[in-house]
């Protein structure tokens, strides 16, 4: 719930300064010109007026309507470097990609709008090109990061119709979604997107009670998924092989498919409110059913020191034919667990400091020792748990466990420089031999089995300059104690222009 705090740093786009929002800090709409919005066009619900040819009362003719169509774009130069030490085949990887996206959202006609967004990326010939498919089969022979394209990359990320009136909004099919467990994961060149129907309901829009007006209801039905590096929509998720650029999936689920997902949610409050909360129910067909609660409160004292607290809870059960039972190498069995989280901190004019804790309850005989199943973030490290870091979180450890995290966010030079420092330590459920990872959960955690330190620095060019919208960002992360490796070292350097 608390963007700009411990929950916000898994995403590549910078979260809004000092905001408190839902999910893993993905309030991307409020960070104008620095990141991809929740919906890439980023348009708020249209306020309709009666009268006029277009039911808006503000268009003089068709050319005026065209002029009010919203065009948007993003240019991104991205350098990705990482090194795994201590493994059987230590390797350093360096990849570069240049690209972005461009699109439009038409002005409304009787509340109806159309949107289209095209994304593209190219390595401009500087990345190694493996001999397909043999070299990719032997990962240690390839010294380029496979999560960035080795050649040209063209993809339609949005193509939908949208209808809005005073009380509800609905759009579909191809779109970027942003809910706690179905998120953009925009940590490479383009965000994830879905072929889906998405709707919001504002039942108390005209109510006299200002607090009731803050309540909204959300529903969505997903049919197909397009990962952050994919070029097509597929009837699967990240647990299934077939996604491009190094997302391996579980081998046992090769050539399998899923009907997608269904979700309903209720949200209270916005990023400007002291109190915000949400409750969600998800059905990831043939994988799991997930109940999710998340809430936060920022006590605005007027003294310059504002305490903040938050809590989250998850309950997960198996669903349908339980395809996870096929994944014997990852523990097999069904998804069944609970997860808890708390966060506390203080917001000042100099720094926002937070401390957070998560626990995914270890359970014998369940998938990955009771690990939470996250079909659209596994391997991306973009889930909404407070302790998820840049490189990974508990879910990426492929086992259950506990984690704690401390983080600080500060601004300099009239908010032109943003610095985020964070540290997390993971205590993972062990297998029968006492080692962390897959297998049957032991009765105790492998203490101190992994930790990660991240540094994130962004420079924003002044808003009143000709370079408004341009930012330079560098992220460095070191994860130690990973299985079969000494440590992982990551660097993500990004120059981005948002318009």
């Amino acid at each position: 719930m608390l963007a700009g705090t411990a929950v916000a740093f898994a995403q590549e786009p910078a979260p809004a300064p000092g905001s408190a929002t839902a999910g893993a800090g993905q309030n991307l709409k409020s960070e104008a010109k620095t990141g991809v919005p929740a919906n890439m066009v980023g348009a708020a619900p249209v306020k309709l007026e009666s009268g006029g040819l277009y039911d808006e009362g503000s268009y003089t003719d068709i050319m005026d309507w065209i002029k009010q169509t919203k065009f948007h774009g993003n240019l991104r130069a991205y350098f990705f470097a990482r090194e795994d030490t201590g493994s059987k085949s230590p390797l350093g990887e360096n990849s570069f990609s240049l690209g972005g996206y461009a699109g439009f959202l038409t002005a409304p006609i009787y509340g109806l709008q159309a949107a289209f967004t095209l994304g593209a990326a190219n390595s401009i010939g500087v990345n190694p090109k493996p001999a397909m498919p043999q070299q990719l089969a032997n990962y240690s022979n390839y010294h380029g990061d496979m999560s960035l394209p080795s050649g040209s990359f063209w993809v339609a990320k949005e193509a939908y119709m949208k209808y809005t009136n005073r009380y509800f909004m609905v759009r579909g099919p191809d779109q970027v979604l942003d809910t706690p467990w179905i998120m953009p994961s925009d940590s490479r060149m383009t965000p994830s997107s879905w072929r889906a129907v998405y709707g919001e309901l504002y039942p108390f829009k005209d109510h006299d009670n200002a607090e009731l007006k803050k309540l909204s209801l959300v529903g969505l039905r997903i049919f197909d998924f397009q990962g952050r590096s994919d070029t097509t929509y597929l009837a699967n998720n990240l647990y299934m092989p077939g996604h491009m650029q190094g997302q391996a999936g579980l081998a046992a689920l090769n050539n399998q498919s899923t009907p997608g997902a269904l979700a309903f949610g209720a949200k209270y409050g916005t990023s400007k409110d002291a109190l915000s909360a949400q409750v969600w129910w998800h059905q990831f067909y043939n994988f799991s059913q997930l109940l999710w609660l998340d809430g936060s409160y920022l006590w605005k004292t007027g003294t310059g020191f504002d305490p903040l607290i938050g809590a989250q809870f998850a309950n997960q059960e198996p669903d349908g034919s339980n395809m996870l039972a096929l994944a014997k190498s990852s523990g097999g069995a069904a998804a069944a667990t609970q997860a808890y989280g708390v966060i506390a901190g203080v917001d000042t004019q100099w720094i926002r400091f937070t401390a957070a804790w998560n626990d995914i309850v270890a359970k014998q005989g369940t998938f990955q020792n009771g690990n939470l199943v996250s079909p659209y973030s596994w391997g991306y490290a973009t889930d909404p748990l407070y302790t998820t870091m840049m490189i990974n979180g508990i879910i990426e450890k492929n086992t259950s466990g506990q984690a704690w995290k401390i983080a600080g966010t500060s601004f300099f030079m009239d908010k032109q420089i943003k610095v985020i420092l964070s540290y997390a330590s993971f205590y993972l459920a062990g297998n029968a031999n006492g080692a962390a990872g897959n297998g049957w959960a032991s009765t105790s955690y492998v203490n101190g089995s992994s930790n990660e330190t991240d540094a994130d620095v962004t420079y924003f060019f002044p808003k009143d300059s000709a370079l408004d919208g341009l930012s330079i960002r560098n992220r460095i992360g070191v994860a130690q104690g990973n299985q079969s490796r000494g440590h992982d070292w990551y660097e993500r350097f990004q120059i981005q222009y948002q318009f």
Side-chain angles (χ1 to χ4, degrees):
M1 295 291 297
L2 301 167
T5 69
V7 298
F9 310 138
Q11 292 295 90
E12 197 67 21
S19 60
T21 63
Q26 297 178 49
N27 182 32
L28 307 181
K29 287 185 181 180
S30 62
E31 184 69 1
K33 299 192 175 183
T34 62
V36 175
N39 175 260
M40 292 175 71
V41 176
V46 179
K47 181 179 180 181
L48 297 182
E49 302 175 1
S50 61
L53 178 62
Y54 301 97
D55 204 30
E56 292 296 305
S58 58
Y59 311 130
T60 58
D61 53 34
I62 188 65
M63 292 306 299
D64 186 30
W65 174 78
I66 293 174
K67 289 179 181 178
Q68 294 194 42
T69 290
K70 295 183 178 181
F71 295 91
H72 63 281
N74 170 298
L75 295 176
R76 180 180 293 180
Y78 194 114
F79 174 76
F80 189 105
R82 68 170 137 187
E83 181 177 330
D84 303 334
T85 65
S87 64
K88 296 179 181 179
S89 301
L91 95 130
E93 301 170 3
N94 298 276
S95 293
F96 175 81
S97 191
L98 178 65
Y101 65 81
F104 63 85
L105 175 68
T106 64
I109 301 178
Y110 292 98
L112 191 63
Q113 298 171 276
F116 181 79
T117 302
L118 180 67
N122 195 289
S123 65
I124 63 174
V126 300
N127 292 343
K129 295 183 178 180
M132 296 290 288
Q134 293 81 9
Q135 197 168 8
L136 284 181
N138 186 355
Y139 185 68
S140 63
N141 289 338
Y142 181 53
H143 291 260
D145 182 76
M146 291 188 293
S147 62
L148 290 176
S150 58
S152 294
F153 182 96
W154 294 92
V155 57
K157 278 295 174 181
E158 292 185 318
Y160 66 79
M161 298 295 295
K162 174 182 178 181
Y163 176 76
T164 308
N165 71 17
R166 185 172 180 80
Y167 302 103
F168 71 92
M169 179 274 290
V170 62
R171 66 173 184 250
D174 299 351
Q175 57 189 296
V176 176
L177 298 174
D178 190 5
T179 76
W181 293 93
I182 304 169
M183 64 292 290
S185 299
D186 183 40
S187 56
R188 294 302 187 270
M189 294 305 296
T190 61
S192 297
S193 60
W194 288 263
R195 185 156 287 162
V197 177
Y198 174 91
E200 295 182 357
L201 180 66
Y202 321 112
F204 303 104
K205 188 76 173 180
D206 294 329
H207 201 280
D208 293 336
N209 189 308
E211 297 305 313
L212 280 177
K213 289 183 178 181
K214 298 177 183 179
L215 179 66
S216 62
L217 305 177
V218 182
L220 63 92
R221 173 66 169 94
I222 290 172
F223 302 97
D224 298 308
F225 170 60
Q226 183 184 93
R228 66 187 181 189
S229 297
D230 294 336
T231 56
T232 59
Y233 285 95
L234 300 171
N236 66 9
N237 58 47
L238 293 175
Y239 286 107
M240 300 175 175
H243 294 275
M244 295 176 58
Q245 315 298 341
Q247 190 68 24
L250 300 174
L253 302 185
N254 190 34
N255 296 322
Q256 301 291 321
S257 63
T258 173
L262 179 71
F264 296 99
K267 301 189 295 183
Y268 172 84
T270 68
S271 61
K272 296 180 180 180
D273 295 312
L275 175 65
S276 59
Q278 57 184 324
V279 57
W280 285 86
W281 178 83
H282 300 78
Q283 182 178 13
F284 302 113
Y285 289 111
N286 298 329
F287 280 80
S288 73
Q289 296 181 20
L290 177 66
L291 174 67
W292 175 252
L293 293 84
D294 198 351
S296 68
Y297 181 74
L298 177 65
W299 184 20
K300 300 178 181 179
T301 64
T303 65
F305 290 84
D306 298 339
L308 59 91
I309 57 172
Q312 50 190 202
F313 169 77
N315 183 77
Q316 189 166 251
E317 302 291 342
D319 181 73
S321 61
N322 182 28
M323 299 183 67
L324 293 172
L326 300 174
K328 300 297 184 183
S329 62
S330 295
T337 192
Q338 291 80 42
Y340 306 86
V342 293
I343 190 169
V346 61
D347 201 3
T348 75
Q349 59 180 320
W350 307 285
I351 189 173
R352 169 174 280 203
F353 175 80
T354 58
W357 169 83
N358 279 116
D359 179 19
I360 301 178
V361 179
K363 293 190 176 182
Q364 294 185 359
T366 62
F367 178 72
Q368 292 185 343
N369 299 327
N371 195 10
L372 279 176
V373 173
S374 184
Y376 301 114
S377 79
W378 181 62
Y380 286 178
T382 54
D383 62 75
L385 297 179
Y386 293 142
T387 54
T388 297
M389 297 286 282
M390 181 183 79
I391 300 176
N392 50 42
I394 301 177
I395 291 175
E396 280 68 39
K397 302 294 186 180
N398 297 325
T399 188
S400 55
Q402 299 181 1
W404 61 266
K405 175 178 178 176
I406 55 175
T409 303
S410 190
F411 292 88
F412 305 92
M413 294 177 56
D414 195 25
K415 294 190 176 182
Q416 284 184 240
I417 297 177
K418 182 177 183 179
V419 178
I420 304 171
L421 300 177
S422 54
Y423 174 85
S425 184
F426 301 91
Y427 301 78
L428 305 176
N431 60 24
N433 297 320
N438 302 327
W440 305 116
S442 66
T443 57
S444 62
Y445 292 112
V446 182
N447 293 335
S449 52
S450 181
N451 62 73
E452 181 175 334
T453 304
D454 294 343
D456 183 347
V457 180
T458 307
Y459 175 78
F460 304 96
F461 283 81
K463 292 185 178 298
D464 57 356
S465 72
L467 297 177
D468 180 21
L470 182 65
S471 63
I472 301 174
R473 188 180 189 189
N474 196 35
R475 305 178 75 188
I476 296 176
V478 178
Q480 302 186 73
N482 288 334
Q483 300 175 53
S484 77
R485 302 196 294 266
H487 71 262
D488 292 343
W489 174 87
Y490 280 53
E491 181 174 14
R492 302 178 183 180
F493 180 76
Q494 175 182 292
I495 300 175
Q496 178 171 274
Y497 179 66
Q498 188 90 12
F499 59 91

